[in-house]
PDB file of all heavy atoms in Angstrom:
ATOM      1  N   SER E  10       7.113   2.942   2.623  1.00  0.00           N
ATOM      2  CA  SER E  10       7.301   2.622   1.139  1.00  0.00           C
ATOM      3  C   SER E  10       8.782   2.791   0.738  1.00  0.00           C
ATOM      4  O   SER E  10       9.347   3.947   0.978  1.00  0.00           O
ATOM      5  CB  SER E  10       6.496   3.766   0.413  1.00  0.00           C
ATOM      6  OG  SER E  10       6.897   3.764  -0.982  1.00  0.00           O
ATOM      7  N   LEU E  12      10.015   3.252  -1.873  1.00  0.00           N
ATOM      8  CA  LEU E  12      10.228   4.181  -2.976  1.00  0.00           C
ATOM      9  C   LEU E  12      11.136   5.359  -2.538  1.00  0.00           C
ATOM     10  O   LEU E  12      11.858   5.915  -3.302  1.00  0.00           O
ATOM     11  CB  LEU E  12       8.780   4.691  -3.412  1.00  0.00           C
ATOM     12  CG  LEU E  12       8.748   5.662  -4.650  1.00  0.00           C
ATOM     13  CD1 LEU E  12       9.233   4.912  -5.885  1.00  0.00           C
ATOM     14  CD2 LEU E  12       7.293   6.102  -4.918  1.00  0.00           C
ATOM     15  N   ASP E  37       6.159  -0.335  -4.151  1.00  0.00           N
ATOM     16  CA  ASP E  37       5.498   0.298  -5.242  1.00  0.00           C
ATOM     17  C   ASP E  37       5.993  -0.002  -6.662  1.00  0.00           C
ATOM     18  O   ASP E  37       7.179   0.323  -6.885  1.00  0.00           O
ATOM     19  CB  ASP E  37       5.594   1.832  -4.982  1.00  0.00           C
ATOM     20  CG  ASP E  37       4.825   2.350  -3.760  1.00  0.00           C
ATOM     21  OD1 ASP E  37       3.568   2.229  -3.776  1.00  0.00           O
ATOM     22  OD2 ASP E  37       5.400   3.004  -2.822  1.00  0.00           O
ATOM     23  N   HIS E  68       2.053  -3.032  -4.010  1.00  0.00           N
ATOM     24  CA  HIS E  68       1.019  -2.116  -4.625  1.00  0.00           C
ATOM     25  C   HIS E  68       1.416  -1.931  -6.229  1.00  0.00           C
ATOM     26  O   HIS E  68       2.385  -1.361  -6.485  1.00  0.00           O
ATOM     27  CB  HIS E  68       1.222  -0.743  -3.859  1.00  0.00           C
ATOM     28  CG  HIS E  68       0.322   0.283  -4.489  1.00  0.00           C
ATOM     29  ND1 HIS E  68       0.571   1.688  -4.114  1.00  0.00           N
ATOM     30  CD2 HIS E  68      -0.601   0.323  -5.327  1.00  0.00           C
ATOM     31  CE1 HIS E  68      -0.365   2.341  -4.867  1.00  0.00           C
ATOM     32  NE2 HIS E  68      -1.065   1.657  -5.428  1.00  0.00           N
ATOM     33  N   PRO E 143      -1.031   8.628  -7.884  1.00  0.00           N
ATOM     34  CA  PRO E 143       0.008   7.706  -7.922  1.00  0.00           C
ATOM     35  C   PRO E 143       1.153   7.939  -8.937  1.00  0.00           C
ATOM     36  O   PRO E 143       0.792   8.510  -9.946  1.00  0.00           O
ATOM     37  CB  PRO E 143      -0.630   6.337  -8.118  1.00  0.00           C
ATOM     38  CG  PRO E 143      -1.870   6.531  -8.934  1.00  0.00           C
ATOM     39  CD  PRO E 143      -2.315   7.965  -8.394  1.00  0.00           C
ATOM     40  N   GLY E 144       2.302   7.583  -8.553  1.00  0.00           N
ATOM     41  CA  GLY E 144       3.378   7.748  -9.586  1.00  0.00           C
ATOM     42  C   GLY E 144       4.687   8.293  -8.750  1.00  0.00           C
ATOM     43  O   GLY E 144       5.870   8.014  -9.227  1.00  0.00           O
ATOM     44  N   GLY E 147       6.672  11.947  -2.021  1.00  0.00           N
ATOM     45  CA  GLY E 147       6.877  13.381  -1.552  1.00  0.00           C
ATOM     46  C   GLY E 147       5.787  14.390  -2.092  1.00  0.00           C
ATOM     47  O   GLY E 147       6.020  15.515  -2.159  1.00  0.00           O
ATOM     48  N   ASP E 175      -2.407   5.852   1.259  1.00  0.00           N
ATOM     49  CA  ASP E 175      -1.142   5.936   0.695  1.00  0.00           C
ATOM     50  C   ASP E 175      -0.901   7.244   0.077  1.00  0.00           C
ATOM     51  O   ASP E 175      -1.614   7.555  -0.867  1.00  0.00           O
ATOM     52  CB  ASP E 175      -1.051   4.792  -0.284  1.00  0.00           C
ATOM     53  CG  ASP E 175       0.354   4.680  -0.936  1.00  0.00           C
ATOM     54  OD1 ASP E 175       1.306   5.363  -0.526  1.00  0.00           O
ATOM     55  OD2 ASP E 175       0.451   3.739  -1.764  1.00  0.00           O
ATOM     56  N   GLY E 177       1.522  11.146   0.928  1.00  0.00           N
ATOM     57  CA  GLY E 177       1.408  12.407   1.769  1.00  0.00           C
ATOM     58  C   GLY E 177       1.151  12.147   3.223  1.00  0.00           C
ATOM     59  O   GLY E 177       0.674  13.107   3.961  1.00  0.00           O
ATOM     60  N   GLY E 197       6.361   7.152   2.821  1.00  0.00           N
ATOM     61  CA  GLY E 197       7.747   7.005   2.241  1.00  0.00           C
ATOM     62  C   GLY E 197       8.636   8.046   2.751  1.00  0.00           C
ATOM     63  O   GLY E 197       9.437   7.817   3.595  1.00  0.00           O
ATOM     64  N   SER E 198       8.471   9.277   2.087  1.00  0.00           N
ATOM     65  CA  SER E 198       9.427  10.388   2.596  1.00  0.00           C
ATOM     66  C   SER E 198       9.412  10.596   4.101  1.00  0.00           C
ATOM     67  O   SER E 198      10.460  10.915   4.637  1.00  0.00           O
ATOM     68  CB  SER E 198       9.105  11.677   1.718  1.00  0.00           C
ATOM     69  OG  SER E 198       7.807  11.669   1.305  1.00  0.00           O
TER      70      SER E 198
HETATM   71  C1  LIG Q 301       2.886   6.792  -4.763  1.00  0.00           C
HETATM   72  C2  LIG Q 301       3.136   5.537  -3.982  1.00  0.00           C
HETATM   73  C3  LIG Q 301       3.395   5.766  -2.552  1.00  0.00           C
HETATM   74  C4  LIG Q 301       4.461   6.766  -2.263  1.00  0.00           C
HETATM   75  C5  LIG Q 301       4.247   7.483  -0.936  1.00  0.00           C
HETATM   76  O1  LIG Q 301       2.415   6.311  -6.059  1.00  0.00           O
HETATM   77  O2  LIG Q 301       2.071   4.643  -4.105  1.00  0.00           O
HETATM   78  O3  LIG Q 301       3.493   4.606  -1.804  1.00  0.00           O
HETATM   79  O4  LIG Q 301       5.687   6.166  -2.065  1.00  0.00           O
HETATM   80  O5  LIG Q 301       5.219   8.400  -0.761  1.00  0.00           O
HETATM   81  P1  LIG Q 301       5.119   9.631   0.219  1.00  0.00           P
HETATM   82  O6  LIG Q 301       4.885   9.070   1.693  1.00  0.00           O
HETATM   83  O7  LIG Q 301       6.275  10.196   0.090  1.00  0.00           O
HETATM   84  O8  LIG Q 301       3.996  10.411  -0.259  1.00  0.00           O
END
Side-chain angles (χ1 to χ4, degrees):
S10 164
L12 187 61
D37 287 307
H68 177 192
D175 187 3
S198 29

